[in-house]
Amino acid sequence: VQLQASGGGLVQAGDSLRLSCAISERTFIIYAGGWFRQAPGKEREFVGAIRWSGGMSDYADSMKSRSTISRDTGGTTLYLQMNDLKPEDTAVYYCAVGRHATNYYQRKYDYWGPGTLVTVSS
């Protein structure tokens, strides 16, 4: 499977942004897709995830009220809508997919794409 995140850029505090993750060359059934981010000098952290079937979603507390994860009906694109962005949201954002329920419930994924940089200015 190949994943490619896009949609990052420079925005101002309070702005909204939607990131996309194009999924291709998939050879297995996806159980869940997730978004993670890594800020400069910090460890990578979970942002949110969605189960492919049924659409159940899970969010980090810091993003729960400001973000929505979704996917297209064809299952080829994963989205992350972020609102009211803050400077502390500045990070490289990564998308990932997993084949198993444990990927979703343990927030650990096996397949990753290169990240897209989001910079939020104050």
Side-chain angles (χ1 to χ4, degrees):
V1 64
Q2 298 293 322
L3 306 176
Q4 182 63 58
S6 63
L10 175 62
V11 298
Q12 294 187 335
D15 284 353
S16 296
L17 196 65
R18 188 175 81 160
L19 305 182
S20 300
C21 176
I23 304 167
S24 60
E25 301 181 36
R26 180 174 57 84
T27 59
F28 54 84
I29 297 174
I30 295 173
Y31 186 90
W35 287 95
F36 293 73
R37 67 185 182 184
Q38 187 166 21
K42 296 187 177 181
E43 294 186 354
R44 187 172 62 193
E45 64 176 3
F46 174 76
V47 174
I50 185 169
R51 285 175 48 179
W52 236 235
S53 177
M56 180 183 295
S57 56
D58 174 34
Y59 297 93
D61 289 343
S62 62
M63 298 299 291
K64 188 173 297 184
S65 63
R66 301 188 291 120
S67 62
T68 303
I69 292 178
S70 61
R71 67 168 183 87
D72 70 338
T73 54
T76 60
T77 308
L78 177 68
Y79 300 103
L80 173 64
Q81 174 71 41
M82 298 185 289
N83 303 317
D84 189 24
L85 284 162
K86 306 176 187 302
E88 51 264 41
D89 295 320
T90 294
V92 176
Y93 284 72
Y94 299 90
C95 58
V97 296
R99 306 171 62 173
H100 308 291
T102 51
N103 297 131
Y104 178 81
Y105 290 105
Q106 295 181 8
R107 298 178 174 178
K108 294 181 180 180
Y109 290 79
D110 301 314
Y111 304 94
W112 297 80
T116 184
L117 176 62
V118 174
T119 303
V120 184
S121 64
S122 58

